[in-house]
Structures are given as C-alpha cells and as structure tokens.
C-alpha cells in the first residue's frame, strides 16, 4: 500500500481550526515554476496568502493542490499552489500553526508566467486619498 502524505490533511485541519476559532488562516508558499501566483507579490521566492473564506472564492484544499480565486490590488487572480510547496499554515492573529519543509520538485524556481486570464501586475505606486468637497 502506498504511503499517503499527512501534509494535506494537516493543512485542512489547521484551516478548519483557524476558521472555527475566528482566526485568519495564512499560507506561506515557496514559489516555483508550478506555483501560480501574482509574481509582483513574491518576495525572496515566497508569498504569504490569506486563505480565509472572506478573502478567497472557490477554495479547494485537496491532496495535491490548493486552488482559489483572490484579489490582489483589486485585480482577481486564479491561484494554484502545489501542496508540497506550502512552507507553513498559521493563524495571522497569534502565529500558531505548522511549518513544513517545502519539497523541491527540481523544476524552475522562477514564478510561473501569468496565464492569459490573469491581469497585469498592479502599479508600483502607493494608493492615495483626496478630499473632495
């Protein structure tokens, strides 16, 4: 019988614990060529993703992939993360969770190019407010 990895089960359990406790579940992901995230938000080869019910749409946490839609800078993106690239799942409010060693698949370490459905990266300037009278 093949070994079934525990990592996807632990990710789902911690996601549910965060949701039940009123915490914000966050994923720390080590980005590689298979990971589909907005490249403008990747820092040092990693990205932090809020996977709460209010921040995502159509969240799927299966044994091989984590997939959902989310908005970055007001632009919707389709996110796909291989479970083996998850470095941590934890509650934003108190930091409790689990850290994992991401498995290197031996592929390219650059972020995957955006698909045709993804919009361009957000502008690099800070948002500003004006007083309108």
């Amino acid at each position: 019988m093949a070994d079934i990895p525990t990592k996807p089960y632990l990710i789902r359990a911690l996601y549910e614990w965060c949701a039940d406790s009123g915490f914000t579940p966050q994923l720390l992901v080590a980005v590689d060529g298979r990971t589909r995230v907005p490249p403008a938000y990747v820092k040092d080869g990693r990205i932090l993703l809020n996977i709460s019910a209010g921040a995502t749409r159509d969240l799927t946490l299966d044994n091989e992939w984590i997939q959902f839609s989310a908005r970055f800078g007001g632009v919707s993106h389709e996110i796909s993360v291989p479970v083996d690239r998850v470095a941590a799942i934890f509650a934003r409010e108190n930091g409790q969770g689990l850290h994992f060693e991401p498995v290197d698949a031996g592929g390219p370490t650059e972020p995957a190019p955006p698909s045709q459905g993804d919009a361009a990266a957000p502008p690099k300037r800070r948002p500003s407010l004006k007083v309108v009278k």
Side-chain angles (χ1 to χ4, degrees):
M1 184 149 112
D3 286 337
I4 299 172
T6 58
K7 187 174 184 179
Y9 295 91
L10 295 171
I11 290 171
R12 286 192 291 270
L14 277 165
Y15 173 83
E16 288 188 29
W17 170 78
C18 284
D20 290 349
S21 301
F23 296 141
T24 306
Q26 295 201 295
L27 283 182
L28 179 63
V29 177
V31 176
D32 71 358
R34 299 174 302 138
T35 308
R36 201 164 131 211
V37 297
Y41 294 91
V42 176
K43 302 236 188 301
D44 298 324
R46 293 180 174 231
I47 188 168
L48 186 62
L49 300 169
N50 175 351
I51 60 167
S52 67
T56 63
R57 188 170 40 100
D58 301 326
L59 176 65
T60 303
L61 300 168
D62 70 23
N63 288 348
E64 308 235 348
W65 290 90
I66 297 171
Q67 297 177 313
F68 57 93
S69 297
R71 296 180 91 60
F72 291 80
V75 178
S76 182
H77 292 272
E78 296 296 320
I79 308 299
S80 294
V81 174
V83 168
D84 62 9
R85 300 306 295 163
V86 174
I89 180 169
F90 59 94
R92 177 174 47 195
E93 292 79 4
N94 62 13
Q96 290 184 350
L98 288 175
H99 293 269
F100 306 101
E101 194 64 40
V103 175
D104 191 7
T109 58
E110 295 297 315
S115 70
Q116 293 179 359
D118 287 340
K124 297 284 184 188
R125 59 185 174 88
R126 293 183 56 123
S128 62
L129 296 175
K130 291 192 251 185
V131 176
V132 179
K133 293 186 178 187

